[in-house]
Amino acid sequence: MSANTPRQRPGAWEEAAAQLLSRTARDLPTGRHEYHKELLMAGIEQAQRTQQVPSGTAKARRPRLLRPAIALPALAAAVAAAVIAGTAMSGGDGDGPARLATGPALTTQIGTASPNGVSRLLDQVTLVAAQDDHPAVKAGQYVYIESKTADTFVKTVDDKSSLASHALHKRQVWYSPDGTKGWLIDPAVNDSPEGETLSLPDEKGNTPVAGLNHPSYDYLTSLPTDPDALLAKIYKETKGHGNSPAQEAFATIGDLLGESYPPPALTKALFKAAAKIPGVVTVNDAVDAVGRHGVAVARLDETSGAREEWIFDKNTHVFLGERTVQVNKAGGPEELIKPGTVLFTSAVTQRAIVDGIKQVPAQGS
């Protein structure tokens, strides 16, 4: 990601931004995708005129700002992050929509990866998942997920780019079982500290159908629990996305584990399906967003040089969180991102069922 990215041909900007938007659709109420696509393209046109890009979180996928879109040009990533979050193209001061504190790039020691032990570790993780007999979500209730998260992103101001990070912060999200109602509080995304609605339908009155890219709890209960059938469905529905079919399948499963509420039978199937994806490895030491050390199941994206890691407690094998670490030297426009850079990190701190939007478990019945 370089400072001269704004001088790329406009067609390349739009293509890259469209790719990012398709992957960041899950950061929004899914029905708002087309609406924000229009805002994104308008923002790109303005950035072309001003040659100045506000800070943003270059991330992707699912109904949350999560994994970095590190394979995309810095301008498109920064503009998309700002526009999708609903911020104005004003040049910014690097503190994000809700003035979230920023700092230097996040870094870590790169854990040693091994192709050995993947099946054994995922078998142990599956056994733990089998013991999690959490209740089903009923109509009128909400899935509540609380996490601590931070990220590193490229900040470009006055044609000068540098790496910066959003400070570790709390993220709270509520979803109804059918996915049509919800709320998000995340200072890296929201303009207001009160958060914003995720309720549907969208501005045009459309209620999108749930899918892998925007799953509701009800949708998750409909997925096959046979690992082979599940993996085949994931490959089919993510065909043409991401840098490779295997990487996109791994990333999709990771998203489902991180910020959703899959039934126990599906969780087990997801782990067993992951074991069948080529290139999956174990990492001897990985640290989640709140500093808990664990062992990880991971996969390296050969195109971007970044490794996505799912982190589990070394003793109990409980899922702790996930992170994306730059492992190999990035080339071209991503050269600012050095090996050891933590592009995204998250630790799940609570996952529960509550009876109302903006209600936390301590207040629930």
Side-chain angles (χ1 to χ4, degrees):
M1 299 184 181
S2 62
N4 60 7
T5 303
R7 287 186 287 274
Q8 290 181 327
R9 62 181 177 84
W13 288 5
E14 294 181 5
E15 179 182 358
Q19 293 177 29
L20 178 61
L21 186 67
S22 71
R23 299 176 67 190
T24 42
R26 283 173 279 191
D27 292 10
L28 297 165
T30 48
R32 296 173 66 186
H33 180 267
E34 291 302 321
Y35 172 76
H36 285 279
K37 180 178 179 180
E38 296 173 3
L39 293 182
L40 170 60
M41 293 309 174
I44 291 173
E45 292 176 0
Q46 179 174 340
Q48 290 173 325
R49 292 193 298 271
T50 62
Q51 295 278 304
Q52 188 177 74
V53 184
S55 67
T57 47
K59 304 181 265 188
R61 305 180 57 88
R62 297 266 158 183
R64 51 179 177 156
L65 281 174
L66 273 193
R67 286 186 288 103
I70 53 179
L72 299 176
L75 175 67
V79 171
V83 175
I84 289 173
T87 59
M89 293 289 296
S90 60
D93 60 4
D95 289 339
R99 298 296 178 235
L100 183 66
T102 59
L106 307 173
T107 59
T108 188
Q109 293 290 325
I110 299 175
T112 302
S114 171
N116 302 318
V118 174
S119 294
R120 184 177 70 254
L121 175 57
L122 283 172
D123 283 345
Q124 293 169 325
V125 169
T126 300
L127 289 174
V128 173
Q131 299 170 10
D132 181 12
D133 189 22
H134 63 234
V137 187
K138 300 176 182 178
Q141 293 183 314
Y142 293 85
V143 174
Y144 171 74
I145 300 172
E146 182 179 310
S147 59
K148 292 291 185 68
T149 182
D151 65 278
T152 297
F153 58 93
V154 173
K155 179 174 66 175
T156 302
V157 178
D158 295 330
D159 211 20
K160 295 180 180 179
S161 297
S162 62
L163 288 185
S165 66
H166 281 133
L168 184 69
H169 60 279
K170 182 166 69 174
R171 174 183 170 90
Q172 298 168 284
V173 64
W174 292 260
Y175 294 118
S176 63
D178 62 3
T180 63
K181 296 180 181 179
W183 195 266
L184 171 68
I185 299 177
D186 185 338
V189 180
N190 305 138
D191 291 316
S192 166
E194 297 299 319
E196 64 181 281
T197 182
L198 298 178
S199 295
L200 301 174
D202 64 10
E203 288 85 346
K204 298 182 180 180
N206 301 313
T207 301
V209 178
L212 281 175
N213 289 347
H214 42 88
S216 65
Y217 174 80
D218 291 345
Y219 172 81
L220 294 175
T221 63
S222 72
L223 290 176
T225 54
D226 175 79
D228 291 315
L230 178 61
L231 187 57
K233 181 178 180 64
I234 291 172
Y235 274 126
K236 180 180 179 179
E237 295 197 13
T238 61
K239 185 177 180 179
H241 297 279
N243 289 329
S244 72
Q247 186 63 32
E248 187 67 9
F250 186 81
T252 297
I253 293 175
D255 286 344
L256 292 175
L257 295 171
E259 196 168 88
S260 68
Y261 195 76
L266 178 60
T267 301
K268 291 185 291 182
L270 289 168
F271 287 134
K272 288 184 176 294
K276 299 174 180 290
I277 298 174
V280 176
V281 299
T282 59
V283 176
N284 66 333
D285 185 53
V287 186
D288 73 3
V290 295
R292 298 177 295 191
H293 285 256
V295 62
V297 173
R299 193 179 192 284
L300 176 67
D301 186 330
E302 297 286 353
T303 301
S304 68
R307 187 170 71 197
E308 180 170 340
E309 302 175 348
W310 310 338
I311 306 170
F312 302 91
D313 185 278
K314 291 182 179 180
N315 298 316
T316 66
H317 301 108
V318 170
F319 178 75
L320 300 178
E322 58 185 309
R323 70 176 184 176
T324 302
V325 178
Q326 191 72 24
V327 172
N328 296 334
K329 183 178 180 181
E334 289 83 37
E335 62 184 359
L336 282 177
I337 304 174
K338 306 299 182 183
T341 302
V342 178
L343 298 164
F344 171 77
T345 180
S346 176
V348 177
T349 54
Q350 278 191 300
R351 199 188 305 255
I353 298 172
V354 295
D355 293 327
I357 283 182
K358 294 195 277 186
Q359 183 181 82
V360 297
Q363 299 171 328
S365 56

